[in-house]
Amino acid sequence: MDNDSGDDAVWQTALDWLMREHDQTLSETDREALHAWLAASSQHRRVFHEAEQLWLLTGMIPRSDERG
């Protein structure tokens, strides 16, 4: 997982979205905002995916088939 882009703000935003998504049920407005953020940049999608994989590897979030 390479974060050499120097864009810590994107990494932090991805982590924030990931934590919000897994700590609570996102409202429809929040879900639309997340999808818009992901659609805005391939970097956003890549970093979000990297963050999600890191969390899965560390066991911090359940796999999608384990979520209620």
Side-chain angles (χ1 to χ4, degrees):
M1 304 207 183
D2 186 7
N3 191 23
D4 289 339
S5 69
D7 195 351
D8 292 335
V10 172
W11 184 252
Q12 186 59 54
T13 301
L15 290 174
D16 289 346
W17 274 118
L18 193 58
M19 288 188 306
R20 287 178 65 191
E21 184 179 44
H22 294 285
D23 285 345
Q24 62 189 358
T25 301
L26 294 180
S27 68
E28 187 60 33
T29 301
D30 288 340
R31 190 164 302 284
E32 289 173 7
L34 170 58
H35 289 288
W37 183 78
L38 291 170
S41 166
S42 62
Q43 181 189 24
H44 293 180
R45 291 185 300 278
R46 179 182 52 78
V47 171
F48 185 84
H49 178 73
E50 287 176 2
E52 190 169 44
Q53 291 302 308
L54 179 62
W55 279 38
L56 287 170
L57 289 171
T58 62
M60 294 179 71
I61 59 173
R63 294 187 324 255
S64 60
D65 61 345
E66 294 178 348
R67 295 181 200 150

